[in-house]
Amino acid sequence: MTKPRLYSGMQPSADSLQIGNYIGALMQWREMQQSYDAFFSVVDLHALTVPNDPAELREKTRRTAAQYIAAGIEPSRSTLYVQSHVSAHAELAWILSTVTGFGEAGRMTQFKDKSSRYGTDATSVGLFTYPVLMAADILLYQTDLVPVGDDQKQHVELTRDLAERFNSRYGKAFTVPMPVIQQDTARIYDLQNPTAKMSKSAETDAGVLWLLDDPSKSAKKIMRAVTDSEGSVRYDRQNKPGVSNLLVIYAALSGRQIPSIEDEYAGRGYGDFKKGLAEVVVNEFGPVRERALALLDDPAELDRVLAVNAGKAEEVANKTLADVYDKVGLLRRA
Ligand code: TYM
């Protein structure tokens, strides 16, 4: 029996991934690659939707791929590749843009957030059509499941709508994918501003835990994380967003349940709790960091692995694209 297909990706938008990417996405990918036919991309075309330095973008792309592997994505089992290496992504995005409503694209909350952050002049058409490119990523591979954090849910829903619309207009070309969102870890918050999502493009560095940071730096950030004045280690998202966020991180990385962690720290202060969490984070990230840095020491080998996998991805993607071209009525080249 063939395994169901899984697709997901991340933007190479920083030198390091942050802990939200790790807990909200990578940990699930690592687990799910065992039972699914998984495709994971570094979506460099998406990263172009905001200003970038060319040399830095190339470096961030390698670094992101290295972190996937260091975190346990096996490039011999899963198809781990760079989006721009497979030209079908940009081509299908164009076709899908012709079945996407202008208003529909304008309702994407991430676009609304980002465009208000950057201002109209710095907001590109690419940022507007970003979700259409994401739909192309997913639909090219006849994807069944898309594991993401909850900020990407709306984009996966748009992808489903576009697939259904295209299939009913032109005949079935696409599998309609389902999002997979791990409810309890779907959103990791900023350590300094625990009601805002932790993000690679956060305003201040102090609230973000980077996978590739020096462990002692991460430990310091945890010790300085915003909590509250109550002093008890208790999960209450509404009234104790800081402590609740730290509990979610603790539970996700240690594989323990939140009540057992609450019990362990009952009657002890936040200092002890944070020390415990720092230890958990350093133990988890330390080896990932070492492996990623070792992989980055040999960029030629990393590039070779990415090229082999781009070849595998291309085979699947080109098949879907050819079918789509036929269905919409593009004349085949003789
Ligand atoms: P990106 O690069 O912003 O984030 C990568 C993944 O990490 C998740 N994530 C989080 N999860 C929990 N808490 C957080 N604070 C947090 N921050 C990020 C995201 O939900 C995501 O799963 N558009 C996508 C990339 C993309 C993609 C795709 C994803 C392009 N094509 C196709 C899936 C399928 C993005 O910008 O993710």
Side-chain angles (χ1 to χ4, degrees), residues 7-11 18 20-21 24-25 43 46 130 134 137-138 146 148-149 151-152 185-188 197-198 200:
Y7 192 97
S8 203
M10 288 192 197
Q11 293 196 67
Q18 40 90 3
N21 302 131
V43 295
H46 277 107
Y130 173 115
M134 176 162 162
D137 300 342
I138 297 166
V146 187
V148 283
D151 60 333
Q152 297 301 316
T185 56
R187 189 167 284 233
I188 302 296
K197 183 187 77 162
M198 190 186 287
K200 286 180 244 133

Side-chain angles (χ1 to χ4, degrees), residues 168-308:
S168 73
R169 198 173 290 177
Y170 294 109
K172 187 173 185 307
F174 301 125
T175 302
V176 180
M178 291 284 294
V180 182
I181 295 162
Q182 213 83 47
Q183 276 321 322
D184 40 349
T185 56
R187 189 167 284 233
I188 302 296
Y189 295 87
D190 190 286
L191 299 186
Q192 289 300 319
N193 183 8
T195 52
K197 183 187 77 162
M198 190 186 287
S199 155
K200 286 180 244 133
S201 50
E203 268 157 36
T204 60
D205 184 66
V208 184
L209 290 177
W210 302 104
L211 214 51
L212 298 186
D213 244 355
D214 196 286
S216 64
K217 222 168 147 189
S218 299
K220 268 194 205 125
K221 285 183 183 173
I222 292 168
M223 297 310 292
R224 294 195 190 122
V226 165
T227 49
D228 52 62
S229 55
E230 190 201 39
S232 81
V233 178
R234 188 167 64 76
Y235 183 89
D236 176 349
R237 185 64 90 183
Q238 204 63 29
N239 301 307
K240 296 165 70 68
V243 171
S244 301
N245 187 41
L246 298 180
L247 273 167
V248 167
I249 296 174
Y250 200 131
L253 295 185
S254 64
R256 288 172 58 188
Q257 299 295 319
I258 287 178
S260 117
I261 303 167
E262 287 172 338
D263 284 352
E264 182 182 342
Y265 291 99
R268 296 160 67 185
Y270 291 150
D272 271 5
F273 170 56
K274 287 175 165 176
K275 252 189 231 148
L277 174 60
E279 221 177 277
V280 167
V281 169
V282 168
N283 285 343
E284 178 81 11
F285 282 13
V288 176
R289 178 172 182 267
E290 298 293 310
R291 279 195 294 273
L293 296 180
L295 288 160
L296 288 165
D297 264 349
D298 189 356
E301 172 58 14
L302 186 59
D303 289 357
R304 190 194 63 77
V305 169
L306 293 172
V308 169

